[in-house]
């Protein structure tokens, strides 16, 4: 074997890429259990650093200043921003970082196409097709993610629709595909420019009509898109680590998107091509009335209960009430009550988002129970506290076929002996649907801001037994 | 790289991705999405190679953009994932 530097370095780099790919896969696998998750991300991080260092070795100092400058420009602001962003804002943050990855893949595609034009090199058709497809998917992922970020961050109106929108979008998409096909036949700079402009436009158009409730599915889909784009451009660049990591993320992301869409009872096609909410039915067939309750009475219900289940929704996170709720729960636990947190798959803004928010407040993950596991338990629950959740506990999802949320899996809170709903006012939920649970006989409404309600429940509880934990 | 060989890599990687995520509890979906978002930050490596080979001002500009965006994906993705996972603790632990 020839051991001069010119052949040794590429071999070391290839070996490093292989190790990085293995670390990524093991890392993602470890992230699938709460016990090992922390180690998983660190492991994947080591893989990333290793692959980056190896790349410095093989690029041999060409444009070194530019590369280091670009890395600094990319790393420093995102690192600082990521360190201080609030946990509630995590979904849009992930969307934004994902968009950057898509943009990077698209830039690789653009750069390679321009290079082929300038050098007159004739790449294989496979290379060209994958460069074009990767660039298309990456561009859609980038502009779409930016729109998703703007929407979730409240920087843009929730939805933007106009008549014939779907046909217009379809037309733009077809033209983009046609331009892509032309590029595969013959590369020309004006067509490259038009192709990228339209590809970015497709991402914007696709995302504009989608409402906030469906956004998690879309972010997950774009995450998978970026993975695919990275894999395809990895083939163009002949770097196996990109193909493996991109494809693993692409496949995992597609599965995750399906799981989320299923949890929300929304087919992916429904998310992308139709509009959510809108013409809900009237509440004419809901009988009964909403019964208010005072904090002191609610506290005595809790005092007498043996088993209490908390049902948190995004409203709790908005009110920043999770810390106060956990304090209340700790008091209840000191008094020997069994406490559980029931989590709907789409509580929060992404599946698992609520778990992150509760974890931030210090709630141990073994008290947090998934929907399928907790639903049979509601029948033996003395008090269920619903805070900031609405549509995910609405029994009409099971009973009213005309309801837009009909068929969505819900938490069977209605089966608990007593239900206390902490709510600011009498308004309907995110999807604008009246909640039949609130009108049930066993349901009492505690009208207050989430944080204030949790705090007054704690105080009232202490007054009942003088603060003793016996 | 031979087209068919690449196809094998594509397929096996896709199966791997499907397999490792299919056993993930819902509570970890958000960190996992964030973690997989970090992993495709490996695109940085491809962008670095592209920028290193760039010799015209246009190619350098595109390459620069690609590296900056890829680095942002990797760095931001790592920080937020690590922050989220750092908070998952068991009541039985410690």
């Amino acid at each position: 074997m020839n051991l001069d530097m010119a052949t040794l370095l590429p071999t070391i780099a290839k070996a490093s890429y292989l190790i990085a790919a293995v670390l990524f896969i093991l890392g993602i696998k470890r992230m699938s259990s709460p016990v090992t998750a922390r180690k998983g991300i660190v492991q994947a991080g080591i893989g990333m650093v290793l692959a980056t260092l190896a790349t410095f070795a093989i690029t041999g100092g060409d444009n070194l200043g530019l590369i280091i400058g670009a890395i600094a420009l990319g790393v420093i602001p995102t690192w600082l921003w990521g360190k201080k962003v609030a946990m509630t804002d995590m979904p849009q943050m992930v969307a934004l970082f994902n968009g950057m990855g898509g943009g990077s893949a698209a830039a690789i595609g653009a750069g390679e196409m321009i290079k082929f034009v300038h050098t007159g090199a004739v790449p294989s058709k496979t290379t060209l097709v994958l460069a074009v497809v990767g660039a298309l998917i990456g561009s859609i992922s980038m502009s779409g993610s930016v729109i998703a970020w703007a929407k979730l961050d409240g920087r843009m109106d929730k939805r933007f629709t106009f008549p014939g929108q779907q046909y217009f979008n379809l037309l733009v998409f077809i033209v983009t595909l046609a331009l892509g096909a032309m590029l595969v036949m013959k590369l020309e700079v004006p067509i490259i420019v038009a192709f990228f402009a339209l590809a970015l436009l497709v991402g914007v158009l696709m995302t504009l009509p989608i409402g906030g409730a469906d956004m998690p599915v879309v972010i997950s889909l774009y995450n998978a898109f970026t993975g695919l784009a990275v894999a395809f451009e990895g083939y163009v660049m002949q770097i196996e680590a990109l193909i493996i990591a991109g494809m693993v993320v692409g496949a995992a992301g597609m599965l995750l998107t399906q799981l989320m869409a299923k949890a929300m009872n929304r087919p992916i096609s429904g998310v992308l091509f139709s509009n959510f909410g809108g013409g809900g039915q009237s509440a004419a067939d809901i009988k009964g009335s909403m019964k208010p309750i005072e904090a002191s009475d609610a506290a005595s219900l809790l005092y007498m209960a043996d088993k209490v289940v908390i049902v948190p929704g995004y409203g709790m996170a908005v009110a920043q009430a999770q810390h106060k709720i956990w304090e209340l729960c700790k008091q209840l636990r000191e008094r020997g009550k069994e406490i559980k947190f029931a989590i709907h798959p789409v509580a929060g803004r992404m599946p698992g988002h609520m778990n992150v928010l509760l974890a931030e407040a210090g709630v141990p993950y073994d008290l947090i129970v998934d929907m399928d596991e907790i639903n049979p338990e509601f029948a033996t629950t003395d008090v269920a506290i619903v805070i900031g959740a609405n549509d995910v506990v609405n029994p009409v999802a099971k009973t009213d076929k005309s309801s837009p949320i009909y068929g969505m899996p819900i938490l069977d809170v209605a089966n608990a002996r007593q239900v206390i709903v902490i709510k600011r006012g009498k308004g309907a939920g995110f999807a604008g649907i009246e909640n039949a649970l609130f009108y049930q006989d066993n349901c009492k409404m505690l009208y207050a801001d989430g944080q204030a309600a949790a705090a007054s429940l704690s105080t009232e509880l202490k007054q009942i037994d003088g603060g003793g934990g016996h | 790289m031979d087209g068919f060989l690449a196809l094998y890599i594509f397929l096996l990687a896709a199966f791997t991705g499907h397999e490792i995520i299919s056993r993930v509890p819902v509570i970890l979906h958000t960190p996992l999405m964030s973690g997989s978002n970090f992993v495709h930050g490996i695109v940085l490596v491809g962008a670095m190679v592209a920028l290193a080979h760039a010799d015209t001002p246009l190619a350098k500009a595109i390459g620069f953009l690609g590296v900056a965006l890829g680095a942002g994906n990797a760095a931001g993705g790592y920080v937020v994932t690590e922050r989220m996972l750092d908070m998952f603790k068991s009541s039985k632990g410690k």
Side-chain angles (χ1 to χ4, degrees):
Chain A
M1 199 203 277
N2 189 356
L3 281 183
D4 64 70
M5 287 304 273
T7 54
L8 192 59
L9 276 181
T11 310
I12 292 175
K14 290 273 176 194
S16 307
Y17 289 158
L18 181 67
I19 296 169
V22 173
L23 286 176
F24 289 154
I25 293 170
L26 290 179
I28 294 182
K29 182 156 173 48
R30 288 201 157 170
M31 275 186 252
S32 67
S33 157
V35 185
T36 54
R38 177 72 213 288
K39 286 194 192 100
I41 182 66
V42 173
Q43 212 166 29
I46 293 171
M48 191 69 75
V49 172
L50 184 66
T52 311
L53 291 179
T55 310
F56 274 117
I58 51 164
T59 51
D62 297 328
N63 290 334
L64 188 63
L66 276 179
I67 294 179
I68 292 176
I71 290 179
L73 186 68
V75 168
I76 295 169
T78 51
W79 188 275
L80 296 177
W81 201 1
K83 274 280 180 205
K84 73 176 174 62
V85 65
M87 283 297 150
T88 42
D89 294 340
M90 224 32 115
Q92 55 264 47
M93 215 59 214
V94 173
L96 197 62
F97 294 146
N98 174 57
M100 289 181 181
S104 183
I108 293 176
E112 290 304 292
M113 285 184 222
I114 299 275
K115 195 183 86 184
F116 294 144
V117 173
H118 278 296
T119 59
V122 185
S124 74
K125 283 286 177 244
T126 316
T127 302
L128 258 184
V129 169
L130 288 182
V132 168
V133 174
L136 173 67
I137 300 175
S139 302
I140 292 176
S141 175
M142 172 161 91
S143 57
S145 295
V146 170
I147 299 291
W149 166 78
K151 284 192 173 207
L152 285 179
D153 216 40
R155 288 164 198 268
M156 190 182 262
D157 266 339
K158 288 289 176 201
R159 274 168 52 205
F160 175 82
T161 50
F162 57 85
Q165 190 167 22
Q166 285 168 28
Y167 297 104
F168 180 74
N169 291 359
L170 187 66
L171 185 72
V172 175
F173 186 59
I174 290 172
V175 175
T176 314
L177 282 184
L179 287 177
M182 284 166 75
L183 287 178
V184 175
M185 304 293 174
K186 190 174 188 322
L187 284 168
E188 278 175 90
V189 173
I191 300 180
I192 296 177
V193 174
F195 169 75
F196 276 96
L198 280 184
L200 289 171
L201 184 63
V202 169
V204 173
L205 289 173
M206 251 174 87
T207 322
L208 276 179
I210 299 170
D214 284 335
M215 213 42 95
V217 181
V218 177
I219 295 175
S220 175
L221 185 68
Y222 288 151
N223 188 40
F225 274 12
T226 302
L228 293 179
V230 170
F232 294 161
E233 299 303 341
Y235 179 83
V236 176
M237 300 299 296
Q238 298 283 301
I239 304 175
E240 293 85 349
L242 265 70
I243 302 182
I244 296 172
M247 212 58 208
V248 166
V249 172
M254 283 296 177
L255 181 62
L256 190 59
T257 310
Q258 277 170 6
L259 291 176
M260 284 192 203
K262 208 169 133 196
M264 296 170 74
N265 193 39
R266 299 267 293 147
I268 294 172
S269 60
V271 170
L272 292 177
F273 304 118
S274 76
N275 303 319
F276 193 50
Q281 298 292 314
S282 66
D285 48 355
I286 297 178
K287 292 185 178 64
S289 61
M290 291 201 213
K291 296 158 288 292
I293 188 172
E294 292 300 318
S296 52
D297 296 329
S300 25
L301 283 180
L302 289 175
Y303 186 72
M304 302 207 280
D306 288 323
K307 181 172 175 181
V308 178
V309 174
I310 315 283
V311 182
Y314 190 64
M316 178 196 73
V318 172
Q320 285 293 315
Q322 57 269 44
H323 295 90
K324 289 273 190 284
I325 283 286
W326 175 231
E327 260 171 47
L328 173 67
C329 291
K330 278 193 281 193
Q331 286 185 29
L332 290 168
R333 271 161 66 92
E334 277 166 21
R335 289 167 175 81
K337 323 282 187 205
E338 185 186 358
I339 300 285
K340 282 183 179 171
F341 286 81
I343 308 288
H344 190 272
V346 294
R349 280 182 157 174
M350 297 196 288
H353 189 200
M354 186 54 66
N355 303 76
V356 173
L357 296 170
L358 290 175
E360 187 192 17
V363 180
Y365 60 77
D366 46 331
L367 298 186
I368 302 175
V369 189
D370 288 351
M371 178 178 69
D372 292 336
E373 231 174 291
I374 196 82
N375 265 345
E377 288 193 35
F378 277 112
T380 59
T381 298
D382 297 303
V383 180
I385 302 180
V386 178
I387 172 163
N390 194 337
D391 295 329
V392 297
V393 296
N394 193 344
V396 302
K398 284 189 168 167
T399 55
D400 182 3
K401 283 196 174 154
S402 63
S403 171
I405 60 167
Y406 180 75
M408 180 174 86
I410 57 160
L411 289 162
D412 295 326
V413 175
N415 296 346
R417 293 191 186 111
Q418 294 285 340
V419 181
I420 299 171
V421 176
I422 299 174
K423 206 168 173 308
R424 262 171 184 282
K426 298 190 178 183
F430 201 69
I433 304 153
E434 280 291 342
N435 195 331
L437 171 73
F438 301 168
Y439 294 87
Q440 273 188 197
D441 286 340
N442 61 347
C443 180
K444 306 279 188 299
M445 310 296 291
L446 179 56
Y447 291 116
D449 165 74
Q451 211 180 111
S456 54
L457 283 176
S458 291
T459 321
E460 295 290 347
L461 197 62
K462 275 180 205 152
Q463 293 214 327
I464 292 173
D465 61 2
H470 307 292
Chain B
M1 198 186 315
D2 177 61
F4 267 102
L5 186 61
L7 197 59
Y8 278 113
I9 300 182
F10 276 115
L11 275 177
L12 290 174
F15 279 126
T16 309
H18 198 277
E19 270 306 299
I20 52 179
I21 204 182
S22 58
R23 299 180 208 107
V24 171
V26 177
I27 67 160
L28 283 173
H29 276 185
T30 291
L32 189 83
M33 194 207 285
S34 178
S36 59
N37 176 44
F38 161 69
V39 166
H40 65 51
I42 187 69
V43 70
L44 166 65
V45 164
M48 283 171 71
V49 174
L51 177 56
H53 295 161
D55 37 21
T56 63
L58 178 62
K60 282 181 187 174
I62 295 174
F64 187 87
L65 184 70
V67 172
L69 288 173
N73 181 183
Y78 183 83
V79 172
V80 296
T81 310
E82 205 248 348
R83 267 185 67 197
M84 279 192 259
L85 290 177
D86 210 20
M87 295 180 313
F88 281 86
K89 291 185 174 72
S90 167
S91 66
K92 292 161 194 122
K94 105 164 164 179

